[in-house]
């Protein structure tokens, strides 16, 4: 059953496009619109524009565009009705289930998987908080200095030792065998389903919208592996997730800074202590995609990894990934062998901020300090070799402020004249520029699909766009254009949009671009319409406007005639090849007539 237009209109009035998009993109006001980094392709300069008064967004980089519904569809990979339902939940509007009855295929399967994972998280949490079987898991979590409140808030849990405990629980709630396997909650052995996670503390992992999409699990009985994640599934792709982000998002936006920790326990301990802008990658290996996502929500990142060798190497490995995404990176230092979780057992959040966060060093300075591991005698016999390598690092850094800070550090630590160091770095930078080896940002295609290079539109395509823009804003004009031009619009997306508009005006007496966009269950058409609305100035009435419409219609008519001429020329060639003189004469006569129209 189709979602009624009246409901879509009510939903459009209740939801705020800025609020919906700001959950994913950091927006700044720019005149009448808002701009930010596009969430649909990787970029370092914002080209994503949101027009809240008109109810649509458009990216001038990749061409993505639409309204609140299409934004949710694209960001969460949901079909139209599911996206409408999700927005209705946010707006606290009742959404009848019968509107979902026609929703088949991937959308309904996705909902089933999310429901199974949500039920599993609640099951594991219930066991650890309320059941004797979960005593060992609760003892472990409390022993890690986590409160019962944080255990409940983050749905931490325990997977019992039984082979089919979760399977039985979920199958009684109509979760299918296929869903249990696809979500990796169960595995198949000897034709029977078995719980994948057994005798483990369970950490639900959420996507950026706050939905459980997988689990991290720690063994309690010495089983290997010690840590076990959900395998990669369509919902769970650890390189695209950040642990705790759905709860940290607001604090990150407020502070303008993300605290990137090493693991689940670090994030939980930090959030419990009131440091709520902490997140963690799922494993120490950060991906470029995660870095680009962090850039969309805040400019600054502090790396907070363990003080041991492994933690510092992880920081050194992830630092360039973050900087290549355009982030300002600092690195916090903890005592060797101490992680944030252990640190906060003896210090409060205020001390943590003063002693750890406020003393964090720049990414460049951390690189120089980390470089000493390759030069054990950097203060004595290896001093010159160390300084040479350090100057090479400085030469490739693009921040003049950080370079100057690092030069001061090197001069003071190694008793070297700062002017000599500065001259060496300048010489190296000039050499890099001359050889074309100046450090470059990561190619965007390695992060996600880069914006395509577009050809310039042809004249008849521009004319069709201008007519479609007027059709979006004026019902009578739409009907006039349909009457005066009977041919196909040049591009398939233009023809589709024209057909949607004429269908809409068949049941609506007024033009309302926002309402029209909300009624469309076709993201590509919404995208194209949003692009037209975003690029074009308001259409002005008057003689000039009337003349413009006539010119555009004439341009399309000439295009239609030129297509007919091309078809006839092909027919003429075919008739000549067959020796059909009568057909040749007829084609030549029609060609003469059509060419006269273009004269």
């Amino acid at each position: 059953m189709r979602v009624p237009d009246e409901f879509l209109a009510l939903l459009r009035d209740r939801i705020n496009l800025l609020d919906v998009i700001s959950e994913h993109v950091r927006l700044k006001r720019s005149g009448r619109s808002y701009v930010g980094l596009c969430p649909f392709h990787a970029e370092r300069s914002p080209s994503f524009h949101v027009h809240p008064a008109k109810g649509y967004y458009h990216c001038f980089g990749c061409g993505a565009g639409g309204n609140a519904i299409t934004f949710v569809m694209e960001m969460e990979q949901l079909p139209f009705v599911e996206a409408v339902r999700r927005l209705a939940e946010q707006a606290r509007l009742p959404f009848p289930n019968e509107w979902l009855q026609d929703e088949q295929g991937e959308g309904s399967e996705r909902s089933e998987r999310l429901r199974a994972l949500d039920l599993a998280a609640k099951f594991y949490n219930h066991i650890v908080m309320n059941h004797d079987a979960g005593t060992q898991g609760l003892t472990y979590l409390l022993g890690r200095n986590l409160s019962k409140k944080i255990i409940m808030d983050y749905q931490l849990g325990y997977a019992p030792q039984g082979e089919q405990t979760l399977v039985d629980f979920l199958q009684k709630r109509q979760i299918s065998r296929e869903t249990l396997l696809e979500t990796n909650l169960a595995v198949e052995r000897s034709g029977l389903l078995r719980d994948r996670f057994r005798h483990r503390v369970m950490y639900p992992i959420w996507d950026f919208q706050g939905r459980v999409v997988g689990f991290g699990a720690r063994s309690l009985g010495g089983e290997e592996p010690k840590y076990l994640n959900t395998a990669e599934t369509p919902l769970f792709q650890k390189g695209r997730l950040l642990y705790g982000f759905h709860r940290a998002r607001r604090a990150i936006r407020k502070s303008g800074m993300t605290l990137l920790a090493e693991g689940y326990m670090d994030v939980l301990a930090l959030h419990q202590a009131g440091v709520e802008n902490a997140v963690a990658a799922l494993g120490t290996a950060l991906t470029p995609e995660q870095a680009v996502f962090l850039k969309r929500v805040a400019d600054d990142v502090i790396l907070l990894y363990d003080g041991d060798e492994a933690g510092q190497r992880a920081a050194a490995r992830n630092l360039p990934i973050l900087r290549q995404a355009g982030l300002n990176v600092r690195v916090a230092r903890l005592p060797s062998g101490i992680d944030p979780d252990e640190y906060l057992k003896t210090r409060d959040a205020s001390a943590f901020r003063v002693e750890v966060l406020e003393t964090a060093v720049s990414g460049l300075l951390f690189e120089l300090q980390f470089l000493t591991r390759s030069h054990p005698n950097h203060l004595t016999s290896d001093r010159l070799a160390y300084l040479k390598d350090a100057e090479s690092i400085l030469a490739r850094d693009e921040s003049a402020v950080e370079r100057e800070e690092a030069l001061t550090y090197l001069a003071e630590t190694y008793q070297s004249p700062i002017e000599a160091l500065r001259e060496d770095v300048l010489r190296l930078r000039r050499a890099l520029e001359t050889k074309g080896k100046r450090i470059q940002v990561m190619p965007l295609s390695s992060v996600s699909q880069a914006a395509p290079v577009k050809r310039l539109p042809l004249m008849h395509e521009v004319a069709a766009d201008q007519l479609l823009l007027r059709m979006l804003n004026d019902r009578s004009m739409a009907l006039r254009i349909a009457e005066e031009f009977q041919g196909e619009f040049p591009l398939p997306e233009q023809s589709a949009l024209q057909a949607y508009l004429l269908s809409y005006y068949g049941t609506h007496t007024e033009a309302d671009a926002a309402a029209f966009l909300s009624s469309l269950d076709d993201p590509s058409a919404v995208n194209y319409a949003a692009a037209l609305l975003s690029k074009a100035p308001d259409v002005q009435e008057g003689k000039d406007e009337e003349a413009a419409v006539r010119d555009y219609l004439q341009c399309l008519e000439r295009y239609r005639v030129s297509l007919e001429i091309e078809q006839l020329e092909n027919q003429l060639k075919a008739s000549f090849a067959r020796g059909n003189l009568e057909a040749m004469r007829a084609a030549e006569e029609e060609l003469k007539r059509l060419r006269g129209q273009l004269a």
Side-chain angles (χ1 to χ4, degrees), residues 149-337:
K149 183 180 185 304
I150 208 85
I151 293 171
M152 286 295 295
D153 288 349
Y154 289 76
Q155 287 189 295
L156 307 183
Y158 173 75
Q161 297 197 42
E163 290 192 343
Q164 293 181 299
T165 312
L166 179 68
V167 167
D168 289 343
F169 172 81
L170 293 178
Q171 286 187 329
K172 287 177 182 177
R173 285 153 181 81
Q174 289 74 53
I175 299 299
S176 69
R177 177 188 186 89
E178 292 74 19
T179 298
L180 287 168
L181 292 171
E182 288 163 356
T183 54
N184 208 224
L185 292 171
V187 293
E188 188 172 12
R189 296 196 187 102
S190 303
L192 296 176
L193 290 182
R194 309 288 187 186
D195 291 357
R196 171 172 167 78
F197 301 107
R198 297 168 54 201
H199 193 37
R200 289 177 178 270
V201 170
M202 302 299 293
Y203 300 88
I205 297 168
W206 306 269
D207 63 10
F208 296 146
Q209 289 74 49
R211 301 169 300 189
V212 178
V213 293
F215 292 90
R218 186 196 189 279
S219 68
L220 291 180
E223 297 89 356
E224 292 295 335
K226 183 177 179 180
Y227 295 99
L228 181 65
N229 278 342
T230 296
E232 295 279 304
T233 71
L235 291 174
F236 182 81
Q237 299 175 46
K238 66 181 184 179
R240 297 182 174 182
L241 300 168
L242 291 164
Y243 183 75
F245 179 82
H246 71 298
R247 285 184 169 270
R249 185 199 307 266
R250 184 170 297 178
I252 291 171
R253 291 193 185 282
K254 185 176 180 180
S255 66
M257 185 267 288
T258 304
L259 189 56
L260 187 60
E262 197 164 343
Y264 312 138
M265 286 304 304
D266 295 334
V267 171
L268 292 167
L270 288 162
H271 285 202
Q272 182 173 261
V275 184
E276 297 177 341
N277 58 334
V279 300
L282 305 182
T284 56
L286 193 74
T287 66
E289 195 165 6
Q290 289 168 324
V292 168
F293 178 82
L294 288 174
K295 172 64 177 174
R296 293 189 194 125
V297 291
D299 287 328
D300 299 330
V301 171
I302 293 182
L303 278 172
L304 180 65
Y305 286 179
D306 294 355
D308 59 14
E309 182 70 14
Q312 296 304 290
R313 288 195 178 279
R317 184 171 58 250
N318 291 333
L319 178 62
I321 296 173
L322 292 165
R323 297 178 78 177
Q324 286 166 344
L327 287 155
N328 304 317
V329 188
R330 290 185 291 153
V331 182
R333 308 300 293 270
L334 289 168
S336 180

Side-chain angles (χ1 to χ4, degrees), residues 505-575:
Y505 287 137
T507 56
H508 296 77
T509 58
E510 297 291 336
D512 185 335
F516 168 68
L517 294 182
S518 295
S519 72
L520 288 183
D521 182 5
D522 184 343
S524 62
V526 177
N527 189 337
Y528 199 86
L532 291 178
L533 291 166
S534 183
K535 294 176 187 175
D538 293 334
V539 175
Q540 302 295 320
E541 297 182 357
K543 294 182 179 179
D544 290 344
E545 170 60 16
E546 175 61 27
V549 171
R550 285 200 305 270
D551 287 345
Y552 295 139
L553 285 168
Q554 186 179 32
C555 182
L556 282 190
E557 180 62 22
R558 292 177 65 85
Y559 169 70
R560 184 191 65 78
V561 171
S562 67
L563 287 182
E564 285 193 36
I565 289 174
E566 183 178 346
Q567 292 172 356
L568 279 170
E569 287 175 340
N570 290 333
Q571 291 176 19
L572 183 62
K573 291 178 183 177
S575 298

Side-chain angles (χ1 to χ4, degrees), residues 344 497 525 586:
L344 288 167
L497 184 56

Side-chain angles (χ1 to χ4, degrees), residues 413-430:
T413 305
Y414 296 94
Q415 300 298 303
S416 295
I418 192 169
E419 288 302 327
L421 293 171
R422 189 179 289 117
E423 181 60 34
D424 284 348
V425 171
L426 182 60
R427 176 176 48 79
L428 288 171
R429 286 178 64 80
R430 287 171 179 162

